[in-house]
Amino acid sequence: MHAPQSSTITAHPARLILTLSLAATVGLGIGRFAYALVLPDMRDSLHWSYSAAGFMNTINAAGYLAGALLASRLIRRFGWSAAVRWGTLVSLAALALCAITGNFLVLSFARLLGGFAAAASFVAGGALAAQIAQSHPERASFLLSLFYAGPGLGILASGLVAPFVLQACGPGSWWIVWWALTALSFFLTIPLLLTPIESKAGMMASTNAGFSIWPVVIYLAGYFLFGAGYIAYMTFMIAYVRDLGGGALAQAAFWSLIGLSAFATPWVWRGTLALDRGGLATAIILIFNAFGAALPMLGHSTIWLALSAIIFGVAFFAVAGSTTAFVRFNYPPSAWPTAIAAMTIAFGIGQTLGPFVVGAITDKLGSLAYALDISAAMLVLGAVASAFQRKLPTTAELAPAE
């Protein structure tokens, strides 16, 4: 394993974390979430039901779950920087595969592959970002939150591309959108390939010491509910906007607002993310997330939809940041990769089940409004579960008195 680039970490922590965040930009912001922008045209052109459309995100989430399960093993075998870089490159290949066929099985494989690669790069990148942030304790929460603003860039960029390509090229042009997103992702990947990103985390002992599921089972349940709840909103909201009569401009504006809001995350939540009080920070952020998801129930006007996108976006990416902060506060660095992977697995199970189940309910009841109701309800339940998580006792606190 390469020697740590300590001077780079000391001199440019924010720049290095922002570079790492490009893995999440490609793997999640574009590879996962841009599907919602292409879904309405794919559904019309390929004659899918809502269940079939939801399954494409379910299979992507299943790949993400598998990637989270195997991430620690891949990191131990190939190293931190290789996991981040190769995960991003495979995500890029999965995007290209989506552009070359309308075959349901091949598209399912592409979504599965993309999810697997995104998880590997996200777990490795998140642990590296936590290690870099920990080297600057006075700015740790702010630096860590920079990593989770990465998907927002992907959402913003894809929101400015996909709706207008679809409008310009007409019905059935979904495959052109995938090519455009592949090209965009290629350029975003270049800095990640050229920047030294190995850190002290690469020298950490690859053990599972210090992590047990039972003390955090309720927190994992809350993160599971977040995974199941947010994905319904992110999968079907663009279709909902289109069903309300929103054209390319309205869809682009809505999606871009979610992405833009993510850039405010480091400043809006820096104080909350610094709370070392168990699951309290996660619960606070999830309540805001649920409120954003619920706003379309109150009205269909432009202002309601815009507020929904802004509030949901500014809270959405902060949830993952609060989870990594929880790990950083409660576990030694040697346990971070395993703990982050466990959190990601709980999240992955939730988002695997969410799209297909919500799609099936929508097919049965005939309205996407039910998808938003279910999304908001699960996010509220996730907040409640997280609020009951207490701070874990330290090793010193557990030690018997002399």
Side-chain angles (χ1 to χ4, degrees):
M1 193 166 291
H2 298 296
Q5 304 288 334
S6 57
S7 60
T8 301
I9 293 168
T10 302
H12 307 293
R15 184 190 305 172
L16 185 53
I17 290 176
L18 286 171
T19 301
L20 282 170
S21 76
L22 291 173
T25 299
V26 174
L28 296 178
I30 297 175
R32 157 157 298 201
F33 299 128
Y35 171 69
L37 295 164
V38 194
L39 182 153
D41 189 58
M42 293 184 75
R43 183 172 173 270
D44 290 346
S45 302
L46 302 174
H47 309 293
W48 290 350
S49 65
Y50 280 114
S51 299
F55 176 79
M56 280 297 165
N57 254 4
T58 289
I59 195 70
N60 179 260
Y64 193 89
L65 175 59
L69 286 166
L70 295 175
S72 293
R73 185 178 301 177
L74 291 172
I75 291 166
R76 286 195 299 269
R77 176 72 182 274
F78 300 107
W80 297 90
S81 60
V84 175
R85 288 178 174 135
W86 280 104
T88 307
L89 288 172
V90 173
S91 296
L92 188 63
L95 282 170
L97 187 56
C98 287
I100 64 176
T101 181
N103 182 277
F104 191 85
L105 290 177
V106 177
L107 285 169
S108 296
F109 172 74
R111 298 291 290 162
L112 179 74
L113 183 66
F116 181 92
S121 62
F122 188 73
V123 171
L128 280 168
Q131 181 70 17
I132 295 165
Q134 189 73 358
S135 301
H136 302 267
E138 74 285 354
R139 295 189 293 155
S141 296
F142 173 77
L143 289 171
L144 183 58
S145 63
L146 292 176
F147 179 78
Y148 295 99
L153 175 61
I155 289 176
L156 173 62
S158 57
L160 294 174
V161 171
F164 298 110
V165 171
L166 286 168
Q167 183 181 55
C169 299
S173 59
W174 55 268
W175 61 277
I176 302 176
V177 176
W178 284 120
W179 276 126
L181 295 175
T182 301
L184 174 64
S185 298
F186 172 79
F187 287 106
L188 290 170
T189 302
I190 292 173
L192 193 62
L193 299 178
L194 298 179
T195 303
I197 59 174
E198 200 67 77
S199 84
K200 294 176 183 177
M203 304 301 291
M204 289 192 304
S206 56
T207 69
N208 296 337
F211 180 79
S212 174
I213 288 177
W214 293 112
V216 293
V217 67
I218 194 165
Y219 190 79
L220 291 171
Y223 206 34
F224 163 84
L225 288 164
F226 168 63
Y230 97 89
I231 196 65
Y233 184 96
M234 292 296 286
T235 299
F236 295 114
M237 197 59 202
I238 287 295
Y240 186 73
V241 171
R242 195 186 75 154
D243 287 352
L244 292 175
L249 183 60
Q251 294 171 40
F254 180 86
W255 204 247
S256 296
L257 277 175
I258 295 177
L260 281 171
S261 298
F263 291 108
T265 294
W267 289 271
V268 172
W269 300 110
R270 62 191 304 175
T272 305
L273 292 174
L275 292 174
D276 186 11
R277 299 180 186 174
L280 180 61
T282 302
I284 292 170
I285 298 168
L286 270 173
I287 284 295
F288 277 85
N289 203 208
F291 180 61
L295 277 177
M297 302 177 202
L298 302 180
H300 299 154
S301 67
T302 300
I303 187 64
W304 283 119
L305 293 176
L307 283 173
S308 173
I310 292 168
I311 295 172
F312 187 93
V314 81
F316 167 50
F317 297 107
V319 178
S322 71
T323 302
T324 305
F326 175 82
V327 168
R328 184 171 60 85
F329 284 131
N330 288 278
Y331 295 98
S334 60
W336 287 352
T338 305
I340 290 174
M343 302 295 170
T344 306
I345 289 164
F347 172 77
I349 294 172
Q351 66 177 3
T352 298
L353 298 175
F356 182 72
V357 171
V358 172
I361 292 172
T362 301
D363 283 332
K364 184 71 175 178
L365 299 179
S367 172
L368 278 171
Y370 293 106
L372 302 182
D373 295 343
I374 296 168
S375 175
M378 286 191 287
L379 292 170
V380 169
L381 289 174
V384 172
S386 299
F388 280 99
Q389 176 65 54
R390 295 293 175 254
K391 179 174 170 56
L392 302 185
T394 64
T395 304
E397 291 169 337
L398 290 172
E402 294 292 338

